[in-house]
Amino acid sequence: MKILVVNAGSSSLKYQLFDMETGEVLAKGNCERIGIDGLITHKCPGKPDYKTQADFPDHRAAIEFVLKLLTDKTLGVIDSVDAIEAVGHRFAHGGEKLRKSSVLGDEEIAYLESIVGLNPLHGPPAISGFKACKEVMPSVNHVGVFDTSYYADIQEHAYIYPIPYELYEKYKIRKYGFHGTSHRYVAGKAAEMLGDPNAKIITCHLGNGSSITATVNGKAVDTSMGFTPQDGVPMGTRSGAIDPTIPTYIMKAENLTADETEKLLNGKSGLYGVSGISSDCRDIRDAAANGKVRAKLAMKILTHNIKKIVGSYVAEMNGVDAVVFTAGIGENDRDLRAEVCKDMSFMGIQIDEEVNATCPRGEIADITAKGAKVKTFVIPTNEEYMIALDTQNLTK
Ligand code: ADP
């Protein structure tokens, strides 16, 4: 079975074509600058990478170009579009109703359209991407996989905020959680490695956006992101959790509008805001190594917050069997892993410094110190494969 996975952003459309018999990625790529001009990068194992400018007035033009490439005599990997048996679409938000991956029909799309206010950045382009794909491939099933659905079963006391309850009823202000597809994938792998589907696992997805999730029995019980992906640990440009009165204080002090304040906390804060240098962890590390004090401080704030959340989830779950690091920073920054796990031996978390420092990039690694009670793993995430699997399971 061949499944196309699509992740549509406001000006981009990423895709991967999977052969589900082998789990192999046959081709993948990214259409960028949709609505501006158009640029596509297309990669197939064993063939030279292909990159060209194109005319992408909208998502439909982009997906049509992708299908042309996938079926191209020299660059392609399938004979005809009919070889694609289903399409999986990534959605950041499924609201309260889309609690699991679902085949997308009129009802589901109407619901997703009704909740774009909860998800103004990712919702509209994901819906446009889906509509474009459905028009071009009308006869196959299209499945929506929602980042929020991994948190569908967290308990009320973990998702209701201590603000007037009517605001939840009126506006659905509650914790939703994000990055669920990634956390579900790496927590599943960790449970497999432990040989225990009931394990207590803390997964740290640390990339440009970062979140930490606690999983028990294969189900999320808590997560650091909340009503929006702005909550939790500091990120590249997002503040993460801060004292809730800071936004209104800044608005008054700097005479900013609500939108300007949101932009400041979303786009100018986090690692970038503290360091004043970059949102990219590698740049911050370089700057810190060159003695830049605020770059050092930015990393210290990050590790301090990760540690606090990991500790709180150990308390919440009454223990932990494994801690997992994933995504750009989690998979690659060995110093961060060492700093987070330092002085945690009292709760059984201790890593082998040597193994941590030398584990190969892009591969699963067990970095646990000999004799430590809690396992620590590095597990590269694979959200696209998870989307393809859900799509296969729902359409087979
Ligand atoms: P996104 O959330 O956009 O998917 P990624 O998961 O790709 O992001 O993570 C991007 C982050 O990973 C950036 O901060 C980048 O600096 C960091 N990163 C990538 N490689 C390394 C590395 N070798 N060392 C430290 N950080 C890294």
Short mmCIF file of all heavy atoms in Angstrom, two decimals, residues 4-5 13-19 24-32 39-52 65-66 69-72 74-78:
data_model
loop_
_atom_site.label_atom_id
_atom_site.label_comp_id
_atom_site.label_asym_id
_atom_site.label_seq_id
_atom_site.Cartn_x
_atom_site.Cartn_y
_atom_site.Cartn_z
N LEU A 4 0.43 8.69 0.73
CA LEU A 4 1.04 10.02 0.66
C LEU A 4 0.69 10.78 1.94
O LEU A 4 -0.48 10.83 2.34
CB LEU A 4 0.49 10.77 -0.57
CG LEU A 4 1.07 12.16 -0.84
CD1 LEU A 4 2.56 12.07 -1.20
CD2 LEU A 4 0.30 12.85 -1.97
N VAL A 5 1.71 11.34 2.58
CA VAL A 5 1.49 12.13 3.79
C VAL A 5 1.73 13.60 3.45
O VAL A 5 2.76 13.94 2.84
CB VAL A 5 2.43 11.67 4.93
CG1 VAL A 5 2.35 12.61 6.12
CG2 VAL A 5 2.06 10.25 5.36
N LEU A 13 4.03 23.20 1.47
CA LEU A 13 3.35 21.90 1.49
C LEU A 13 4.44 20.83 1.47
O LEU A 13 5.17 20.69 0.50
CB LEU A 13 2.42 21.78 0.26
CG LEU A 13 1.53 20.54 0.19
CD1 LEU A 13 0.16 20.88 -0.38
CD2 LEU A 13 2.17 19.44 -0.64
N LYS A 14 4.58 20.16 2.61
CA LYS A 14 5.59 19.09 2.71
C LYS A 14 4.89 17.77 2.41
O LYS A 14 3.72 17.61 2.76
CB LYS A 14 6.18 19.04 4.11
CG LYS A 14 6.97 20.27 4.48
CD LYS A 14 7.76 20.02 5.76
CE LYS A 14 8.40 21.30 6.23
NZ LYS A 14 7.94 21.78 7.51
N TYR A 15 5.62 16.85 1.81
CA TYR A 15 5.00 15.56 1.47
C TYR A 15 6.02 14.43 1.60
O TYR A 15 7.22 14.65 1.48
CB TYR A 15 4.44 15.60 0.03
CG TYR A 15 5.49 15.89 -1.01
CD1 TYR A 15 6.17 14.86 -1.67
CD2 TYR A 15 5.84 17.20 -1.31
CE1 TYR A 15 7.16 15.13 -2.60
CE2 TYR A 15 6.83 17.48 -2.24
CZ TYR A 15 7.48 16.44 -2.89
OH TYR A 15 8.47 16.72 -3.80
N GLN A 16 5.49 13.24 1.87
CA GLN A 16 6.30 12.01 1.86
C GLN A 16 5.44 10.90 1.31
O GLN A 16 4.28 10.76 1.72
CB GLN A 16 6.75 11.64 3.28
CG GLN A 16 7.79 12.57 3.85
CD GLN A 16 8.57 11.97 5.02
OE1 GLN A 16 8.55 10.77 5.26
NE2 GLN A 16 9.25 12.82 5.75
N LEU A 17 6.01 10.11 0.42
CA LEU A 17 5.28 8.96 -0.11
C LEU A 17 5.87 7.70 0.51
O LEU A 17 7.07 7.43 0.36
CB LEU A 17 5.40 8.92 -1.65
CG LEU A 17 4.64 7.76 -2.30
CD1 LEU A 17 3.12 7.95 -2.16
CD2 LEU A 17 5.00 7.63 -3.78
N PHE A 18 5.03 6.95 1.22
CA PHE A 18 5.48 5.73 1.91
C PHE A 18 5.04 4.48 1.18
O PHE A 18 3.91 4.41 0.68
CB PHE A 18 4.87 5.65 3.31
CG PHE A 18 5.51 6.58 4.30
CD1 PHE A 18 5.04 7.87 4.47
CD2 PHE A 18 6.58 6.15 5.09
CE1 PHE A 18 5.62 8.72 5.39
CE2 PHE A 18 7.16 7.00 6.01
CZ PHE A 18 6.68 8.29 6.16
N ASP A 19 5.92 3.49 1.16
CA ASP A 19 5.52 2.14 0.79
C ASP A 19 5.30 1.41 2.12
O ASP A 19 6.27 1.14 2.85
CB ASP A 19 6.64 1.47 -0.02
CG ASP A 19 6.26 0.06 -0.42
OD1 ASP A 19 5.38 -0.53 0.23
OD2 ASP A 19 6.82 -0.45 -1.42
N GLU A 24 9.31 2.01 3.79
CA GLU A 24 10.30 2.86 3.11
C GLU A 24 9.67 4.18 2.63
O GLU A 24 8.51 4.20 2.21
CB GLU A 24 10.73 2.06 1.87
CG GLU A 24 12.04 2.41 1.26
CD GLU A 24 12.19 1.62 -0.07
OE1 GLU A 24 11.54 0.58 -0.25
OE2 GLU A 24 12.93 2.11 -0.90
N VAL A 25 10.46 5.25 2.69
CA VAL A 25 10.02 6.52 2.08
C VAL A 25 10.48 6.50 0.63
O VAL A 25 11.68 6.48 0.34
CB VAL A 25 10.64 7.74 2.81
CG1 VAL A 25 10.26 9.04 2.12
CG2 VAL A 25 10.20 7.76 4.27
N LEU A 26 9.52 6.50 -0.29
CA LEU A 26 9.88 6.42 -1.72
C LEU A 26 10.30 7.78 -2.25
O LEU A 26 11.16 7.88 -3.12
CB LEU A 26 8.68 5.91 -2.53
CG LEU A 26 8.17 4.51 -2.15
CD1 LEU A 26 6.90 4.19 -2.91
CD2 LEU A 26 9.24 3.47 -2.44
N ALA A 27 9.68 8.82 -1.73
CA ALA A 27 10.02 10.19 -2.16
C ALA A 27 9.52 11.16 -1.11
O ALA A 27 8.55 10.88 -0.41
CB ALA A 27 9.35 10.50 -3.49
N LYS A 28 10.22 12.26 -0.99
CA LYS A 28 9.72 13.30 -0.10
C LYS A 28 10.17 14.67 -0.59
O LYS A 28 11.12 14.77 -1.38
CB LYS A 28 10.18 13.08 1.34
CG LYS A 28 11.66 13.18 1.57
CD LYS A 28 11.90 13.00 3.05
CE LYS A 28 13.35 13.02 3.41
NZ LYS A 28 13.57 12.85 4.83
N GLY A 29 9.49 15.69 -0.15
CA GLY A 29 9.88 17.01 -0.60
C GLY A 29 9.07 18.10 0.05
O GLY A 29 8.27 17.86 0.95
N ASN A 30 9.35 19.30 -0.42
CA ASN A 30 8.71 20.48 0.17
C ASN A 30 8.45 21.50 -0.93
O ASN A 30 9.36 21.85 -1.69
CB ASN A 30 9.66 21.07 1.23
CG ASN A 30 8.99 22.16 2.05
OD1 ASN A 30 7.78 22.39 1.94
ND2 ASN A 30 9.78 22.84 2.86
N CYS A 31 7.18 21.93 -1.03
CA CYS A 31 6.85 23.05 -1.92
C CYS A 31 6.84 24.30 -1.04
O CYS A 31 6.13 24.32 -0.04
CB CYS A 31 5.47 22.90 -2.53
SG CYS A 31 5.25 21.37 -3.42
N GLU A 32 7.62 25.28 -1.41
CA GLU A 32 7.69 26.50 -0.60
C GLU A 32 7.21 27.70 -1.41
O GLU A 32 7.02 27.60 -2.60
CB GLU A 32 9.14 26.75 -0.17
CG GLU A 32 9.69 25.68 0.77
CD GLU A 32 11.19 25.81 0.94
OE1 GLU A 32 11.61 26.61 1.78
OE2 GLU A 32 11.93 25.11 0.22
N LEU A 39 8.78 27.20 -5.13
CA LEU A 39 10.06 26.51 -5.14
C LEU A 39 9.79 25.10 -4.63
O LEU A 39 9.09 24.94 -3.63
CB LEU A 39 11.03 27.24 -4.19
CG LEU A 39 12.42 26.65 -4.02
CD1 LEU A 39 13.23 26.86 -5.29
CD2 LEU A 39 13.13 27.34 -2.85
N ILE A 40 10.33 24.10 -5.32
CA ILE A 40 10.12 22.74 -4.84
C ILE A 40 11.45 22.00 -4.71
O ILE A 40 12.32 22.14 -5.57
CB ILE A 40 9.12 21.95 -5.74
CG1 ILE A 40 8.90 20.53 -5.17
CG2 ILE A 40 9.57 21.90 -7.18
CD1 ILE A 40 7.70 19.82 -5.75
N THR A 41 11.59 21.29 -3.61
CA THR A 41 12.74 20.40 -3.42
C THR A 41 12.17 19.00 -3.32
O THR A 41 11.25 18.76 -2.52
CB THR A 41 13.47 20.72 -2.10
OG1 THR A 41 13.58 22.14 -1.99
CG2 THR A 41 14.84 20.11 -2.06
N HIS A 42 12.69 18.08 -4.14
CA HIS A 42 12.13 16.73 -4.21
C HIS A 42 13.28 15.72 -4.10
O HIS A 42 14.28 15.85 -4.80
CB HIS A 42 11.41 16.60 -5.57
CG HIS A 42 10.81 15.27 -5.84
ND1 HIS A 42 9.59 14.90 -5.34
CD2 HIS A 42 11.25 14.22 -6.58
CE1 HIS A 42 9.30 13.67 -5.77
NE2 HIS A 42 10.30 13.24 -6.52
N LYS A 43 13.12 14.76 -3.20
CA LYS A 43 14.21 13.79 -2.99
C LYS A 43 13.67 12.37 -3.07
O LYS A 43 12.63 12.07 -2.49
CB LYS A 43 14.81 13.94 -1.59
CG LYS A 43 15.42 15.29 -1.33
CD LYS A 43 15.89 15.39 0.11
CE LYS A 43 16.39 16.82 0.32
NZ LYS A 43 17.43 16.98 1.24
N CYS A 44 14.40 11.52 -3.80
CA CYS A 44 14.08 10.09 -3.83
C CYS A 44 15.39 9.36 -3.56
O CYS A 44 16.40 9.68 -4.20
CB CYS A 44 13.62 9.62 -5.20
SG CYS A 44 12.27 10.53 -5.86
N PRO A 45 15.39 8.37 -2.66
CA PRO A 45 16.62 7.63 -2.41
C PRO A 45 17.16 7.03 -3.72
O PRO A 45 16.39 6.50 -4.52
CB PRO A 45 16.18 6.51 -1.45
CG PRO A 45 14.86 6.93 -0.92
CD PRO A 45 14.25 7.89 -1.88
N GLY A 46 18.45 7.18 -3.91
CA GLY A 46 19.09 6.60 -5.10
C GLY A 46 19.03 7.49 -6.33
O GLY A 46 19.54 7.12 -7.38
N LYS A 47 18.35 8.62 -6.23
CA LYS A 47 18.29 9.54 -7.39
C LYS A 47 18.81 10.89 -6.94
O LYS A 47 18.70 11.23 -5.76
CB LYS A 47 16.84 9.70 -7.87
CG LYS A 47 16.24 8.42 -8.41
CD LYS A 47 14.87 8.68 -9.00
CE LYS A 47 14.28 7.35 -9.44
NZ LYS A 47 12.99 7.47 -10.07
N PRO A 48 19.35 11.67 -7.89
CA PRO A 48 19.83 13.00 -7.48
C PRO A 48 18.67 13.88 -7.00
O PRO A 48 17.55 13.75 -7.51
CB PRO A 48 20.47 13.58 -8.75
CG PRO A 48 20.16 12.64 -9.85
CD PRO A 48 19.54 11.39 -9.30
N ASP A 49 18.94 14.73 -6.01
CA ASP A 49 17.90 15.65 -5.52
C ASP A 49 17.48 16.59 -6.63
O ASP A 49 18.29 16.94 -7.49
CB ASP A 49 18.43 16.50 -4.35
CG ASP A 49 18.64 15.64 -3.11
OD1 ASP A 49 18.30 14.44 -3.15
OD2 ASP A 49 19.16 16.19 -2.11
N TYR A 50 16.23 16.97 -6.62
CA TYR A 50 15.70 17.84 -7.66
C TYR A 50 15.14 19.10 -7.00
O TYR A 50 14.40 19.01 -6.03
CB TYR A 50 14.59 17.10 -8.41
CG TYR A 50 13.89 17.90 -9.47
CD1 TYR A 50 14.49 18.14 -10.70
CD2 TYR A 50 12.61 18.40 -9.24
CE1 TYR A 50 13.83 18.88 -11.67
CE2 TYR A 50 11.95 19.13 -10.21
CZ TYR A 50 12.56 19.37 -11.42
OH TYR A 50 11.91 20.09 -12.38
N LYS A 51 15.56 20.24 -7.51
CA LYS A 51 15.08 21.50 -6.95
C LYS A 51 14.80 22.46 -8.10
O LYS A 51 15.64 22.62 -8.97
CB LYS A 51 16.19 22.07 -6.04
CG LYS A 51 15.75 23.26 -5.23
CD LYS A 51 16.81 23.60 -4.19
CE LYS A 51 16.34 24.72 -3.31
NZ LYS A 51 17.16 24.97 -2.18
N THR A 52 13.60 23.02 -8.10
CA THR A 52 13.32 23.96 -9.19
C THR A 52 12.31 25.02 -8.75
O THR A 52 11.56 24.81 -7.80
CB THR A 52 12.78 23.21 -10.44
OG1 THR A 52 12.72 24.11 -11.54
CG2 THR A 52 11.38 22.65 -10.21
N PHE A 65 1.73 19.71 -8.99
CA PHE A 65 3.13 19.62 -9.39
C PHE A 65 3.79 18.40 -8.72
O PHE A 65 4.55 17.65 -9.35
CB PHE A 65 3.88 20.90 -8.99
CG PHE A 65 5.17 21.09 -9.72
CD1 PHE A 65 5.23 21.90 -10.85
CD2 PHE A 65 6.34 20.47 -9.29
CE1 PHE A 65 6.43 22.08 -11.54
CE2 PHE A 65 7.54 20.64 -9.96
CZ PHE A 65 7.59 21.45 -11.09
N VAL A 66 3.46 18.19 -7.45
CA VAL A 66 4.03 17.04 -6.71
C VAL A 66 3.63 15.73 -7.40
O VAL A 66 4.47 14.85 -7.63
CB VAL A 66 3.54 17.05 -5.24
CG1 VAL A 66 3.90 15.75 -4.54
CG2 VAL A 66 4.13 18.24 -4.49
N LEU A 69 5.58 15.15 -10.47
CA LEU A 69 6.95 14.69 -10.18
C LEU A 69 6.96 13.22 -9.76
O LEU A 69 7.83 12.45 -10.17
CB LEU A 69 7.55 15.51 -9.03
CG LEU A 69 8.24 16.81 -9.36
CD1 LEU A 69 8.87 17.39 -8.11
CD2 LEU A 69 9.32 16.58 -10.42
N LEU A 70 5.98 12.85 -8.90
CA LEU A 70 5.95 11.47 -8.40
C LEU A 70 5.74 10.46 -9.53
O LEU A 70 6.16 9.31 -9.43
CB LEU A 70 4.85 11.30 -7.35
CG LEU A 70 5.07 12.00 -6.01
CD1 LEU A 70 3.83 11.89 -5.12
CD2 LEU A 70 6.27 11.41 -5.26
N THR A 71 5.08 10.91 -10.62
CA THR A 71 4.79 10.00 -11.73
C THR A 71 5.70 10.26 -12.95
O THR A 71 5.51 9.66 -14.00
CB THR A 71 3.31 10.14 -12.16
OG1 THR A 71 3.04 11.53 -12.40
CG2 THR A 71 2.36 9.63 -11.10
N ASP A 72 6.65 11.17 -12.77
CA ASP A 72 7.55 11.51 -13.89
C ASP A 72 8.42 10.30 -14.27
O ASP A 72 8.83 9.52 -13.40
CB ASP A 72 8.45 12.67 -13.43
CG ASP A 72 9.33 13.17 -14.55
OD1 ASP A 72 8.84 13.99 -15.34
OD2 ASP A 72 10.50 12.74 -14.62
N THR A 74 11.52 10.00 -15.28
CA THR A 74 12.87 9.90 -14.72
C THR A 74 12.93 10.22 -13.22
O THR A 74 13.61 9.53 -12.46
CB THR A 74 13.85 10.83 -15.47
OG1 THR A 74 13.22 12.09 -15.64
CG2 THR A 74 14.27 10.27 -16.80
N LEU A 75 12.20 11.24 -12.81
CA LEU A 75 12.30 11.63 -11.39
C LEU A 75 11.31 10.88 -10.51
O LEU A 75 11.45 10.85 -9.29
CB LEU A 75 12.00 13.13 -11.25
CG LEU A 75 12.98 14.07 -11.92
CD1 LEU A 75 12.38 15.46 -12.05
CD2 LEU A 75 14.26 14.13 -11.10
N GLY A 76 10.31 10.27 -11.13
CA GLY A 76 9.20 9.70 -10.37
C GLY A 76 9.48 8.35 -9.76
O GLY A 76 10.52 7.72 -9.99
N VAL A 77 8.51 7.88 -8.94
CA VAL A 77 8.65 6.59 -8.27
C VAL A 77 7.41 5.72 -8.43
O VAL A 77 7.40 4.57 -8.01
CB VAL A 77 8.94 6.79 -6.75
CG1 VAL A 77 10.34 7.27 -6.52
CG2 VAL A 77 7.93 7.73 -6.10
N ILE A 78 6.35 6.26 -9.03
CA ILE A 78 5.15 5.47 -9.30
C ILE A 78 4.70 5.72 -10.74
O ILE A 78 5.01 6.76 -11.31
CB ILE A 78 3.97 5.81 -8.32
CG1 ILE A 78 3.77 7.33 -8.20
CG2 ILE A 78 4.17 5.17 -6.97
CD1 ILE A 78 2.59 7.76 -7.34
#
